Amino acid sequence: MTREPHEDIVVECDLPEAPEKVWRALTEPEIVAAWLMPNDIKAETGHRFSLGTEGGIDCTVLEAEPGRLLRYSWHERDAGSKGTSGFDSVVTFELARTANGGTHLRVVHDGFIAATTATCSISGANCSVAINAPRPNRTLASANAPQWRMAA
């Protein structure tokens, strides 16, 4: 069985908040629910948790290093009547303290099946988003003003 090529979504941001505060936003259920969806996350390797409710997402913490790294599996439950199957991937959050005491946050959501050859990236306001980031000829330049670029 051959595996289709996959695409990653990569988001990188420099945040003014310290890594400890960003870690809380990624690992405390009430805070995660405010920006993502209801959950029962615990930042403990091996902990199984769910995101969402009916038709939600089953996750398992693969790695947890407080203030530095959180990686979990992401398995969407079958969509049932919609006729689509679940989606398996891994989400990784990497945190690093910046020189001014803030946080450089890198988020990688991997395992997307390549559906098209188009690629895009967005950067600006100290953040960047890339789809199709694994291609070695893709680079993202930071910019102060948002930029949108698509290439086929």
Side-chain angles (χ1 to χ4, degrees):
M1 173 193 242
T2 58
R3 184 173 173 191
E4 292 183 53
H6 72 277
E7 311 271 336
D8 294 351
I9 295 176
V10 178
V11 178
E12 293 194 54
C13 290
D14 286 326
L15 305 169
E17 292 80 9
E20 298 80 13
K21 187 171 184 179
V22 175
W23 180 257
R24 288 183 55 229
L26 298 173
T27 60
E28 292 187 15
E30 301 80 21
I31 301 173
V32 174
W35 66 268
L36 186 58
M37 59 185 81
N39 66 90
D40 56 342
I41 191 170
K42 284 185 191 173
E44 299 171 1
T45 301
H47 175 71
R48 294 174 185 252
F49 66 98
S50 296
L51 291 170
T53 53
E54 186 179 321
I57 300 157
D58 294 320
C59 302
T60 301
V61 176
L62 304 173
E63 288 182 76
E65 295 178 36
R68 197 189 84 69
L69 176 73
L70 178 64
R71 177 177 288 129
Y72 53 81
S73 63
W74 174 290
H75 174 74
E76 290 181 358
R77 297 182 197 130
D78 291 346
S81 64
K82 295 179 184 173
T84 59
S85 61
F87 171 73
D88 290 320
S89 61
V90 174
V91 180
T92 303
F93 299 90
E94 296 175 68
L95 295 79
R97 189 173 304 275
T98 61
N100 65 359
T103 304
H104 179 78
L105 175 64
R106 184 171 197 265
V107 183
V108 179
H109 194 157
D110 71 11
F112 292 89
I113 301 300
T116 178
T117 58
T119 61
C120 72
S121 65
I122 304 169
S123 64
N126 293 324
C127 294
S128 62
V129 178
I131 300 173
N132 196 25
R135 290 191 184 171
N137 61 349
R138 303 297 300 162
T139 58
L140 293 176
S142 61
N144 290 332
Q147 299 175 4
W148 176 265
R149 180 180 73 211
M150 290 196 72

